[in-house]
Each structure stands twice: as structure tokens, then as C-alpha cells.
Amino acid sequence: MVSSTTSPPSDPGKMDHHHLHNIQPAPTISNDNHDPEKPSTTTDNPSEKQQLQQPDTEQPPDHDANKTTWNASRSSIARFLLICYSFILMGMSDGAIGALIPYLETYYSISYTIVSLVFLSPFVGYLLAALFNNLIHHHFGQRGVAILGPLCRLIGFIPMACHPPYPALPVVMLFTGFGNGIEDSAWNAWVGNMRKANELLGIIHGCYGLGATIGPLIATSMVTKGGLEWYTFYYVLVGVNGVELVAMTAAFWTATKEVYRAGVAESESEDVADADEEGGGGNEGGNKRTTTRTVMRDPIPWIVAMFLLGYVGAEVSLGGWIVTFMLKVRHAEPFNAGLTVTFFWLGLTVGRVVLGFITGRIGEKLAISGYLLLCIALQLLYWLVPSFVASAIFVSFLGFFLGPLFPAAIVAATKLLPPGYHVSAIGFAAAFGGGGAAIFPFAVGAIAQKKGVAVLQPIVLAILVFILLMWWLLPGGLKPGGLERARENREKVGDEVRKGFKWLKGKAGKTQ
């Protein structure tokens, strides 16, 4: 939640500036005991120094001064740690399904297209989460999310553990998608509004990668080494999600709708006050609720949502079909094929944590552009080099550079949008983007039914190129601090692309 402890006395930069003009004669008292030539300089210098230092002291704190920290209180620490635990569980469920696909095919005697429905059905859940996330916050607060998220996952996992007829699986997975969607969007919005958001988002998404690393490893070991059926893995998920439901309910019990509404009203009123100071007017009252419909009129949430849709689609398509690709195309042993998906998620986990500390320092726009170009190169190598060992290495590094993309997109949204938009915009973008975990893996399976699972590689390559273009549409250029300046200067979506085309056109004209 946004901190509400900021008060006029706690802002020394602004108070000193105002007091300085009210007590300017004071320096002449001390000047009587010093060199008479100094009064004019000692009277002027503090004012000049204050004016010179004011831009340096005002500008950087403006972005983070009112933001809370993850360790502001014991309850905040407990909530952040439980969010990390929640992301581990989301990663376990998303990562394991890919490792279990070959065994689902055998158990139910179904085709690629039919088995791919387990990816498609959660898409409906993610879409519902995108639409209802803001409404749940407004009527139930974060407490509602903390209860509904784990509860919906349990509604999906308990029937899976009972291995019902296959037509029931896509139906119950819809609840899993909804639970993941509301938690994913809510916790991204909350952590994205904290100080050092790049690093913190890198940690929680690193936890997702950790879950996605150990999930396939546990599931594959239970089936291949333990001789157990695929559905026994869901006994584990039922147990750990039950723990989450109890712990989350206790930790977020006081995060009511009143607390949420007060935080949103305060952030919006502060944004209006900042607009007034800059001469921007700002007639929107802090008590007016920013609805998802209002946010969706802004193009930036849509671009971030499309970026995340493609990114999550590429991530889960790779994680979901790596095992099948290695078995069918690279002719790997079953256990070794299961290890490759573990290497992918492990690379993703390490990349999110390590590169999260680098991304913010060199600028999100430049860093993610570089990471995506490296991903495209690695994806080409993974596709074209027909070696199992080489493929395992390439896919590990592919996961490493894919890792920081999701956290960086959330941070970009917080920097480009007004504070009152953050919960709705980030919630919508994260939940809508999470639908990529359903629609793209399903598309891979449906096409693979006729063309073979090797079709995974060109599809993922096309997605990577698409999200790179989406990223370049965001304003701000490639220099550090560009996102903050883009909002201050009210730059429009696609400005940098238009400038690039003009520059290329000018160069082409000169060569002719």
C-alpha cells in the first residue's frame, strides 16, 4: 500500500525553501561580528545554494518519496514473504503441467490438440481475473484476493488429484487460471508500487521461476523414478495451497476494502496536487475511483498487456513443450528431457534475481531491448543446432535473459502512468498478459498435431520479435531515466519509433 506518513514537516527540502524567504534579514545579525565585506555574500549565498540544490533534492524523491518499503512493518514483511511463497506455488503449477503432458497423453490416449486444452481453459480464468481484479479490490480489499486466490486453485487441484475423465480437466483448470490471475495481478500491483520495485519484482518473479524449476523436477521424479501416476503430484499441490490459504487469510485479514479505498484516494489526491504544482490543473478529485474502463482508455496499459501476453506465451510455450520437443525431435531420454525444462526455469529464476539489479541501473528500455535481442539469437540457435546438449545450454540461457522481462514491464507501467492508475492498470495488464500462458501453448499443440512439435521454435521466435516491437512502442527512448521524462514531457506512444523512421528516411534521402 502507498505510505500515508508524508506530512509537510517531513519534507525538509520544501520547508527550508519556504522559510528561507520568510527570514531573509536574519543573516545580517551574524555578519556584525565578521568582516563587513561579507554580509552581501553570506546573505545571497544560502539562497543561491538552496535554489541550485533544490532541483537535485526535489526531482529524485518525487518518484519514490511516498512509496512504502517491503520491511516497513512486521505485517509488511510477513505479507511480502507470503507473496513470494504464493509465486512459488504458481510456478510449480504452471511449470509441472508441461512436464506431465506426455503422461497425460498416454493416460487418457489423446492427441496434442486435445491435451492442449489444459493450457487454453485457464485463459478464460485469466480474462475474468483481468475484468474483476479492480472490482474485487474495491469491494473486498486485498483480503478478498488473499482468500479467493488460493481457494480457487484448490477448487482446481482437488479434482485433478482425483484424476477425473479428461473432459473435466479443462473445466476445473479454469478455476486455477482465475486464482492465479487475481493473485498475479494484485501482488504485482502492490509490490510494483514499492521502493526499489525492480529488485523486489525480480525477487517475487524469481520465486515463480523457483517454483517452475522444482515443480517439473518433482513431478518428473515422481513419475519416472517413483513409478507413480501423474495425478499424485497434485496431492502435493493441494497440501501446499491449503497452507497458503490459511497463512494468507491471517496475514491480509486487516487489508480491508476501506484500507484499499483510502490508499487509492490518497495516491490520486497526491497526483492531483503534483499536477497543480506543475501548473497542470488537475480537476479529478482524489475520492473518485479509477475504474478499469477508465484505465483502458489509455494506450499504455494495452501495450504493456500485449507485451506481457506475448512474453508469458513464449515463456510457458517453451516451458510447456520443451520436454515433448526434446523427446520427439532431439530423441532424449525421458529423465534427461525432464531436466531440460528444469534448466530453463532455473535460468529464468537466476535471471530475474540477478538481472533485476542491473536493469534499473542502465534503464528499463535499453536493458530489455538488449535482453530480447539476445533471446532472439538464442532461440535461433536452439532451433537450428540439432544437438541435445547444445539445446539444453541454449534453452537455459534463453530462460536467463527472459527472466527480467515481466518485472521490467510492471516497473515501466508504474513510471509511465499516474499513481491512481497503478492498481487497475498493472492488475489488468498482468492478468490479461497471463492469458498468454493459455492461448499460445494451446496454439503450439494444435499446430503440432499436424506439423509436428518442431513448430514450437518458429512460433516462439515470432512472439519474441512481436514483443520487442511492442516494447519499442512505449515512450521514453533508450536512455536511463527516459520513462520518467516521458511522463513529465507527456510523450505519446510510438514517438520514438516515428523519430526513428524520420531519421532513416532522412539518411535514405541523403544517400540518393
Side-chain angles (χ1 to χ4, degrees):
M1 301 295 291
V2 178
S3 174
S4 60
T5 59
T6 305
S7 59
S10 67
D11 194 344
K14 292 182 181 178
M15 290 301 294
D16 290 347
H17 179 68
H18 292 304
H19 287 176
L20 184 67
H21 295 288
N22 294 332
I23 59 173
Q24 280 196 0
T28 59
I29 297 172
S30 61
N31 286 335
D32 294 337
N33 298 326
H34 294 80
D35 190 345
E37 295 180 3
K38 291 183 179 179
S40 60
T41 57
T42 55
T43 302
D44 295 334
N45 279 347
S47 177
E48 291 174 3
K49 287 180 180 178
Q50 187 72 20
Q51 290 174 352
L52 288 172
Q53 291 175 358
Q54 187 178 349
D56 295 331
T57 56
E58 269 191 8
Q59 243 181 341
D62 273 350
H63 301 293
D64 288 337
N66 295 328
K67 294 182 178 180
T68 188
T69 57
W70 72 276
N71 58 352
S73 64
R74 288 183 179 180
S75 63
S76 294
I77 295 172
R79 290 172 180 178
F80 181 78
L81 293 177
L82 282 171
I83 286 171
C84 291
Y85 178 68
S86 175
F87 271 75
I88 290 174
L89 301 189
M90 283 191 267
M92 287 180 67
S93 63
D94 286 348
I97 193 67
L100 293 174
I101 275 183
Y103 310 106
L104 283 171
E105 291 178 54
T106 304
Y107 186 84
Y108 287 108
S109 300
I110 50 178
S111 64
Y112 284 154
T113 304
I114 301 301
V115 78
S116 297
L117 288 173
V118 297
F119 291 117
L120 183 62
S121 64
F123 181 55
V124 180
Y126 271 101
L127 283 179
L128 291 173
L131 295 174
F132 288 102
N133 173 64
N134 189 45
L135 197 64
I136 292 171
H137 273 78
H138 190 70
H139 288 286
F140 304 103
Q142 287 181 319
R143 178 168 67 186
V145 175
I147 296 172
L148 280 175
L151 185 62
C152 287
R153 280 206 295 272
L154 282 173
I155 293 173
F157 291 153
I158 291 173
M160 293 282 283
C162 298
H163 53 97
Y166 183 79
L169 295 191
V171 177
V172 298
M173 292 295 284
L174 185 149
F175 290 95
T176 303
F178 184 79
N180 284 348
I182 60 172
E183 281 208 281
D184 192 17
S185 58
W187 308 145
N188 271 295
W190 189 56
V191 177
N193 276 288
M194 290 182 177
R195 295 178 192 174
K196 297 184 178 180
N198 257 309
E199 291 86 344
L200 294 176
L201 286 169
I203 290 172
I204 68 169
H205 285 279
C207 289
Y208 176 90
L210 175 62
T213 302
I214 62 177
L217 188 61
I218 294 171
T220 303
S221 298
M222 290 175 73
V223 175
T224 60
K225 301 297 182 182
L228 302 173
E229 292 289 351
W230 64 269
Y231 52 81
T232 54
F233 175 72
Y234 286 91
Y235 298 161
V236 178
L237 290 184
V238 169
V240 293
N241 273 272
V243 172
E244 186 203 0
L245 176 60
V246 175
M248 279 285 194
T249 302
F252 284 91
W253 188 255
T254 58
T256 60
K257 63 180 181 181
E258 290 80 12
V259 175
Y260 169 74
R261 292 179 186 182
V264 171
E266 182 182 350
S267 65
E268 289 181 345
S269 62
E270 286 172 357
D271 194 38
V272 171
D274 291 341
D276 288 338
E277 286 180 6
E278 295 170 4
N283 297 323
E284 295 181 12
N287 293 325
K288 183 180 179 181
R289 181 169 71 94
T290 303
T291 63
T292 303
R293 182 179 298 178
T294 302
V295 172
M296 288 170 65
R297 295 193 187 110
D298 193 305
I300 289 175
W302 282 103
I303 292 176
V304 175
M306 295 301 293
F307 176 87
L308 293 180
L309 183 76
Y311 161 73
V312 176
E315 173 191 283
V316 181
S317 294
L318 283 167
W321 289 99
I322 282 175
V323 174
T324 306
F325 178 82
M326 290 297 191
L327 288 171
K328 304 291 185 182
V329 179
R330 297 290 186 254
H331 308 293
E333 294 295 324
F335 184 74
N336 291 337
L339 282 180
T340 56
V341 73
T342 301
F343 293 153
F344 170 75
W345 291 114
L346 181 62
L348 193 96
T349 304
V350 176
R352 280 179 171 168
V353 176
V354 173
L355 296 179
F357 290 89
I358 299 173
T359 303
R361 286 166 172 76
I362 64 177
E364 289 81 11
K365 285 294 294 292
L366 177 61
I368 299 305
S369 297
Y371 300 155
L372 275 171
L373 290 172
L374 287 171
C375 287
I376 290 170
L378 287 165
Q379 175 60 28
L380 280 169
L381 291 170
Y382 175 41
W383 180 14
L384 299 175
V385 178
S387 165
F388 169 75
V389 175
S391 295
I393 294 172
F394 294 144
V395 83
S396 301
F397 279 101
L398 184 57
F400 180 79
F401 288 109
L402 279 173
L405 267 61
F406 197 112
I410 301 300
V411 172
T414 62
K415 290 183 176 181
L416 289 170
L417 294 168
Y421 278 39
H422 288 177
V423 170
S424 298
I426 295 171
F428 168 74
F432 183 82
I439 192 168
F440 285 109
F442 172 78
V444 170
I447 299 173
Q449 183 63 35
K450 292 186 177 180
K451 303 292 184 182
V453 75
V455 76
L456 168 72
Q457 309 303 346
I459 290 177
V460 172
L461 183 64
I463 294 173
L464 292 175
V465 174
F466 168 75
I467 63 176
L468 179 61
L469 295 175
M470 288 292 102
W471 186 250
W472 284 345
L473 283 177
L474 290 175
L478 298 178
K479 294 182 180 179
L483 293 172
E484 292 88 345
R485 289 192 297 270
R487 186 187 164 200
E488 292 168 1
N489 300 331
R490 293 185 174 88
E491 294 181 20
K492 295 181 180 179
V493 167
D495 275 354
E496 297 300 322
V497 176
R498 285 189 286 270
K499 289 177 184 176
F501 276 122
K502 286 182 181 179
W503 182 82
L504 288 174
K505 189 176 180 180
K507 287 290 184 182
K510 288 180 180 178
T511 55
Q512 292 176 356

